[in-house]
Amino acid sequence: MALEKTLSIIKPNAVAKKNIGAIIHMLEGAGLRVMGMKMGNLTQRDAEQFYAIHKDRAFFKELVSFMTSGTVVILALEGTNAVVKNRDIMGATDPKKAAPNTIRAKFGEGIEANAVHGSDSVENGINEVAFFFAERELC
């Protein structure tokens, strides 16, 4: 099977609560390899561009505001079936509905503050990794 790339963003609430190491440990334990990592704050423009697919939804402004409210960790991940593996280990969007021992069940606080973002398709994984990382930044 071919290796896939996918993106995960550890959201401001999980970074503030010092859950970075535990989340990366869970991702690696699921068979994903970190091939790129950045830590910083998203600008308003970055968040609006990255989440542009949601621009017409009622939650867009709140999402952008939340994602720019603090430090995030952006991870480019690689693995066999990386998108599905990442989605499985993240759990459902609503932490209350996420399976036990998933990232969102353990570290999420609500639908918006659900600890992590993850690519939802192979195509979006490629595009989202390219949004944040130049090819030379990936190992």
Side-chain angles (χ1 to χ4, degrees), residues 37-52:
M37 181 167 46
K38 294 181 177 185
M39 185 174 192
N41 291 34
L42 295 180
T43 66
Q44 179 91 14
R45 184 171 183 235
D46 285 342
E48 288 173 350
Q49 287 179 339
F50 185 74
Y51 288 108

Side-chain angles (χ1 to χ4, degrees), residues 4-139:
E4 295 174 357
K5 291 180 185 174
T6 192
L7 188 90
S8 185
I9 301 175
I10 303 175
K11 294 184 177 184
N13 62 306
V15 172
K17 291 190 171 192
K18 300 179 182 172
N19 298 135
I20 299 166
I23 291 171
I24 292 172
H25 180 74
M26 291 176 73
L27 293 167
E28 290 180 325
L32 298 167
R33 183 178 76 82
V34 176
M35 57 187 298
M37 181 167 46
K38 294 181 177 185
M39 185 174 192
N41 291 34
L42 295 180
T43 66
Q44 179 91 14
R45 184 171 183 235
D46 285 342
E48 288 173 350
Q49 287 179 339
F50 185 74
Y51 288 108
I53 192 169
H54 300 302
K55 69 181 175 191
D56 294 327
R57 294 199 161 149
F59 62 83
F60 179 71
K61 287 183 183 179
E62 290 80 16
L63 175 62
V64 169
S65 178
F66 174 69
M67 291 302 292
T68 59
S69 69
T71 303
V72 297
V73 175
I74 304 163
L75 302 165
L77 304 169
E78 180 181 64
T80 304
N81 297 317
V83 173
V84 170
K85 282 182 183 176
N86 189 36
R87 305 282 309 165
D88 285 348
I89 196 62
M90 283 191 319
T93 303
D94 183 347
K96 292 176 187 169
K97 296 178 182 176
N101 297 316
T102 59
I103 294 169
R104 289 174 170 160
K106 286 184 160 194
F107 306 113
E109 299 167 21
I111 291 176
E112 185 178 89
N114 60 12
V116 289
H117 161 89
S119 304
D120 62 2
S121 69
V122 173
E123 180 182 2
N124 282 344
I126 292 166
N127 293 335
E128 290 181 356
V129 168
F131 184 89
F132 288 107
F133 295 92
E135 197 62 38
R136 70 181 181 282
E137 296 177 297
L138 303 174
C139 304

